């Protein structure tokens, strides 16, 4: 196999790796954890009794009970808390715009079709409120005041001497919401509550596209299992049921995540359940301490809901930062994002940061790339002689191969020398691909001129066209294939790749464009140098021949 075939192999391998990695991200398999039905009898230390089911599946569809909405406005959120269950039914992110750029990004919602995305909590036990119970609120709306760092919203439910306060505390500039229960037992009997936290989500919305697939589904983390993703189809096959003394559960989608984070050290059981054809829930439940008559118990928890910004995720809970999933190349991608962020902190423009990061990566691989380009340049100089050999031997491939090997040996050229340096750089490219695809920091981040969103496609397709042009130039700089079929493939390769890049985020295309321009400059220089060496060598050979005669 000569260098041209190897280069083709590398290019196609990169494409296959990217597509395979994208498919893996969207179709992540369920973990091999033993499972049982959520509504079966749970163990006494985690979930109450068999009659304390949270609710039951609905065969004909899924409908939420609805009461009054309490509207809460903070610096980061606009939220609807429903008096039925005290659910978070609608949540807008005020610092993130919707795709139409005109309105706040709607993360949680109970009214859009097919989207259903709500956060629920409840208490299981006699006279205790579930997410189907009705709470009361002192006000119909709340707003965080200037100069205040937090806002408290208090809901209450009273039944047969048991008073339950469900208290939301919103914090300025934090995407963590404290959700605390205060249970006061003024009844005549002791109670042992089970607290649960769950998210209900449909299986159809936010699924990405065929060319740019993204994962939307369940996710959970414990110190034992580490970070796991759970597709809705896998929830339908095998409901999740694991126990732990730590960790969180949530829903993951492109750029955003919601996660219930129970009290540290509280034993918990993680569960999933299919509620209807396209509605699922994922949650955690825990048995609390017995509350004697006249006693009160406080049950703290936190709910993270917002963008996948690294610093916010790290501050919220261990393992939550892994919701920005770079797949099997995390070990490379994480340092790349760290460096990209550091560059951005200086230049204050993500597009400029991408350009500078590309230059740094290119500099790191400069010598390695140079050796590859040198080998390809040497092959380029041999192209006329290889073409002559092809014409001489015709269809006798065996003689052709023998003659080629003799020529490579005589000229001291390694035909595989141009492939290895490219292979080394493939993991870095794929890792950076996932960094640029998955970083919410690039969402709606402007570059210059017509590029006002580095996470979206170039609206005028200028970057993909320029990228295609650079690929054509690179093709001209590479050794010309002697095989007509290979020559046609190399001719059409830039066109095919350009079509793919028409649908890629502008930030990723910008990276590849800058990388190509730098590669062209380096390859042109190496080609020129090798050509000069070849000419000098020929002249020296002619001179020696003349002296000999």
């Amino acid at each position: 196999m000569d260098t041209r075939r190897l280069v083709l192999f590398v290019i196609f391998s990169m494409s296959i790796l990217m597509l395979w990695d994208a498919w893996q991200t969207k179709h992540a398999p369920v973990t091999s954890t033993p499972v049982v039905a959520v509504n079966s009898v749970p163990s006494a230390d985690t979930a109450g009794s068999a009659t304390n089911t949270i609710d039951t599946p609905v065969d004909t569809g899924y409908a939420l009970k609805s009461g009054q909405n309490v509207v809460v406005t903070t610096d980061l959120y606009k939220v609807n808390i429903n008096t039925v269950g005290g659910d978070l039914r609608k949540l807008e992110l005020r610092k993130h715009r919707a795709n139409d750029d005109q309105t706040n990004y709607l993360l949680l919602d109970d009214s859009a079709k097919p989207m259903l995305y709500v956060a629920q909590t409840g208490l299981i036990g006699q006279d205790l409120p579930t997410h189907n119970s009705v709470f009361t609120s002192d006000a119909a709306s709340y707003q965080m005041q200037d100069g205040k760092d937090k806002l408290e919203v208090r809901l209450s439910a009273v039944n047969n001497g048991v008073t339950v306060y469900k208290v939301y505390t919103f914090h300025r500039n934090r995407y963590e919401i404290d959700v605390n229960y205060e249970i006061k037992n003024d009844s005549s009997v002791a109670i042992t509550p089970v607290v649960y936290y769950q998210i209900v989500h449909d299986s159809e919305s936010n699924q990405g596209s065929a060319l740019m697939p993204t994962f939307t589904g369940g996710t959970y983390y414990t110190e034992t299992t580490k970070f796991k993703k759970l597709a809705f189809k896998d929830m339908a096959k095998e409901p999740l049921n694991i126990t732990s003394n730590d960790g969180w559960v949530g829903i993951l989608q492109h750029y955003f995540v919601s996660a219930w984070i129970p009290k540290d050290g509280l034993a918990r059981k993680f569960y999933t359940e299919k509620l209807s054809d396209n509605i699922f829930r994922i949650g955690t439940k825990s048995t609390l301490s017995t509350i004697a008559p006249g006693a009160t118990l406080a049950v703290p928890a936190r709910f993270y809901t917002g963008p996948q910004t690294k610093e916010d995720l790290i501050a919220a809970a261990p393992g939550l930062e892994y919701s920005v999933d770079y797949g099997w190349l995390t070990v490379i991608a994480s340092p790349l994002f760290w460096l990209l962020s550091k560059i951005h902190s200086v230049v204050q423009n993500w597009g400029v940061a991408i350009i500078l990061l590309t230059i740094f990566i290119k500099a790191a691989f400069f010598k390695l790339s140079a050796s590859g380009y040198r080998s390809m340049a040497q092959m380029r100089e041999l192209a006329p002689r290889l073409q002559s050999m092809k014409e001489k031997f015709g269809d006798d491939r065996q003689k052709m191969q023998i003659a080629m090997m003799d020529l490579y040996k005589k000229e001291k050229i390694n035909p595989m020398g141009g492939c290895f340096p490219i292979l080394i750089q493939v993991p870095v490219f794929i890792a950076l691909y996932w960094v640029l695809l998955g970083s919410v920091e690039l969402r709606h981040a402007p570059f210059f001129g017509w590029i006002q969103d580095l996470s979206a496609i170039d609206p005028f397709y200028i970057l993909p066209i320029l990228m295609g042009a650079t690929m054509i130039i690179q093709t001209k700089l590479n050794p010309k294939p002697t095989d007509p079929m290979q020559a046609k493939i190399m001719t059409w390769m830039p066109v095919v790749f350009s079509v793919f890049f028409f649908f890629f985020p502008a930030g990723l295309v910008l990276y590849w464009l800058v990388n190509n321009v730098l590669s062209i400059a380096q390859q042109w220089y190496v080609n020129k140098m090798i050509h000069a060496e070849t000419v000098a060598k020929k002249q020296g050979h002619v001179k020696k021949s003349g002296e000999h005669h």
Side-chain angles (χ1 to χ4, degrees):
M1 181 181 290
D2 59 23
T3 301
R4 293 180 296 276
R5 291 182 181 178
L6 287 170
V7 170
L8 284 171
F9 169 77
V10 170
I11 292 173
F12 281 117
S13 296
M14 286 174 63
S15 304
I16 292 170
L17 279 170
M18 289 168 62
L19 291 173
W20 177 82
D21 204 37
W23 186 91
Q24 285 288 93
T25 298
K26 186 172 182 180
H27 303 279
V30 66
T31 55
S32 56
T33 306
V35 294
V36 295
V38 167
N39 288 331
S40 63
V41 180
S43 58
D45 61 341
T46 56
S49 67
T51 58
N52 286 333
T53 57
I54 298 171
D55 58 19
T56 56
V58 180
D59 294 331
T60 57
Y62 180 82
L64 290 168
K65 295 179 181 179
S66 188
Q68 301 298 314
N69 281 320
V70 178
V71 180
V72 182
T73 305
T74 74
D75 59 324
L76 299 180
Y77 297 125
K78 184 175 180 181
V79 183
N80 284 1
I81 301 175
N82 201 275
T83 53
V84 171
D87 295 352
L88 293 171
R89 295 287 181 91
K90 186 175 183 179
L91 185 143
E92 299 177 19
L93 300 176
R94 299 184 64 194
K95 297 295 179 71
H96 292 265
R97 303 192 306 277
N99 291 331
D100 60 11
D101 291 353
Q102 303 300 315
T103 58
N104 297 332
Y105 185 83
L106 186 62
L107 184 57
L108 307 186
D109 193 22
D110 65 347
S111 60
K113 300 296 182 182
M115 178 178 169
L116 176 66
Y117 190 178
V118 299
Q120 301 175 326
T121 71
L123 295 168
I124 305 172
Q126 185 175 356
D127 302 326
L128 295 173
T130 70
H131 65 275
N132 292 317
S133 302
V134 177
F135 285 77
T136 59
S137 172
D138 292 336
S141 64
Y142 295 81
Q143 184 161 356
M144 182 176 284
Q145 301 300 314
D146 293 341
K148 299 293 185 180
D149 289 331
K150 65 181 181 179
L151 173 64
E152 184 177 284
V153 178
R154 182 173 288 264
L155 307 172
S156 61
V158 182
N159 189 18
N160 292 334
V162 178
T163 301
V164 175
Y165 294 101
K166 185 174 184 178
V167 185
Y168 287 94
T169 304
F170 298 85
H171 301 273
R172 184 175 296 278
N173 201 34
R174 280 175 55 189
Y175 287 103
E176 297 168 62
I177 305 170
D178 293 335
V179 186
N180 298 330
Y181 277 111
E182 297 173 7
I183 309 169
K184 185 178 182 182
N185 183 13
D186 288 331
S187 71
S188 59
V189 296
I191 56 175
T192 305
V194 172
V195 64
Y196 64 91
Y197 309 93
Q198 65 183 22
I199 301 173
V200 178
H201 199 288
D202 71 281
S203 59
E204 298 178 11
S205 61
N206 296 315
Q207 295 298 316
S209 64
L211 284 177
M212 298 294 293
T214 57
F215 177 83
T216 296
T219 179
Y220 64 95
Y221 175 91
T222 72
E223 286 297 324
T224 300
T225 66
K226 302 304 181 183
F227 175 77
K228 299 293 183 181
K229 294 191 295 185
L230 195 57
F232 292 118
K233 64 177 183 178
D234 294 322
M235 294 184 194
K237 293 177 182 177
E238 296 179 302
L240 174 69
N241 186 354
I242 64 172
T243 58
S244 177
N245 289 321
D246 54 53
W248 48 263
V249 296
I251 288 289
L252 178 66
Q253 68 182 66
H254 195 205
Y255 295 134
F256 303 99
V257 64
S258 295
W260 280 113
I261 309 165
K263 175 185 175 182
D264 290 342
L266 181 66
R268 65 208 65 180
K269 175 179 287 187
F270 295 165
Y271 61 88
T272 61
E273 189 170 8
K274 181 178 180 179
L275 299 176
S276 69
D277 287 344
N278 68 326
I279 304 297
F280 294 81
R281 70 178 173 198
I282 182 169
T284 173
K285 55 185 174 181
S286 303
T287 298
L288 304 176
S289 302
T290 298
I291 310 172
T296 299
L297 178 67
V299 187
R302 289 175 295 136
F303 183 58
Y304 182 97
T305 180
Q308 295 171 333
T309 46
K310 280 280 191 177
E311 60 272 18
D312 292 325
L313 298 173
I314 291 172
L320 195 56
E321 69 270 21
Y322 297 123
S323 63
V324 186
D325 188 12
Y326 300 135
W328 54 287
L329 287 172
T330 297
V331 67
I332 300 174
S334 291
L336 286 177
F337 177 77
W338 177 86
L339 180 56
L340 182 66
S341 299
K342 292 299 181 183
I343 297 171
H344 174 263
S345 67
V346 176
V347 300
Q348 296 299 307
N349 183 296
W350 285 105
V352 175
I354 291 171
I355 292 173
L356 293 176
L357 178 63
T358 307
I359 294 173
F360 289 155
I361 293 175
K362 199 65 182 174
F365 286 108
F366 182 83
K367 289 188 176 180
L368 191 62
S369 298
S371 66
Y373 291 144
R374 182 178 181 86
S375 178
M376 294 175 69
Q378 291 172 329
M379 293 296 296
R380 178 185 172 90
E381 293 298 322
L382 288 183
R385 296 167 69 178
L386 292 173
Q387 183 62 37
S388 298
M389 291 167 56
K390 180 176 176 59
E391 294 172 358
K392 177 181 178 180
F393 294 109
D395 295 332
D396 194 333
R397 302 181 69 87
Q398 184 175 359
K399 288 185 178 180
M400 177 68 179
Q401 289 292 330
I402 293 173
M404 286 172 58
M405 291 300 104
D406 289 340
L407 179 60
Y408 294 152
K409 185 176 181 180
K410 178 182 178 182
E411 298 295 334
K412 299 180 180 179
I413 294 175
N414 180 6
M416 297 183 66
C419 179
F420 179 71
I422 298 175
L423 281 174
I424 292 296
Q425 298 176 60
V426 168
V428 176
F429 166 75
I430 298 177
L432 189 55
Y433 165 84
W434 285 115
V435 167
L436 297 179
L437 180 64
S439 298
V440 68
E441 290 83 355
L442 270 64
R443 186 176 185 270
H444 290 154
F447 178 38
F448 291 120
W450 74 100
I451 303 295
Q452 293 299 309
D453 184 358
L454 287 165
S455 70
I457 62 174
D458 183 334
F460 301 111
Y461 304 108
I462 294 174
L463 291 181
I465 291 172
L466 291 175
M467 196 279 298
T470 60
M471 290 195 69
I472 292 174
I473 295 173
Q474 281 187 306
T475 301
K476 299 296 183 182
L477 291 173
N478 288 337
K480 186 176 181 180
T482 56
D483 189 303
M485 180 59 68
Q486 291 183 25
K488 287 182 179 179
I489 292 175
M490 293 299 291
T491 300
W492 284 100
M493 186 74 68
V495 178
V496 173
F497 265 68
S498 296
V499 171
F500 277 109
F501 274 80
F502 271 61
F503 303 95
F504 279 8
L508 180 64
V509 184
L510 177 64
Y511 158 71
W512 197 314
L513 173 62
V514 175
N515 183 71
N516 277 7
V517 170
L518 296 174
S519 298
I520 287 170
Q522 186 178 11
Q523 191 171 358
W524 175 83
Y525 174 77
V526 172
N527 283 358
K528 184 179 179 181
M529 183 178 63
I530 295 298
H531 180 70
E533 290 177 1
T534 302
V535 171
K537 185 177 179 180
K538 287 181 179 180
Q539 290 176 345
H541 179 73
V542 171
K543 185 177 180 181
K544 280 187 177 182
S545 298
E547 290 175 353
H548 177 74
H549 287 294

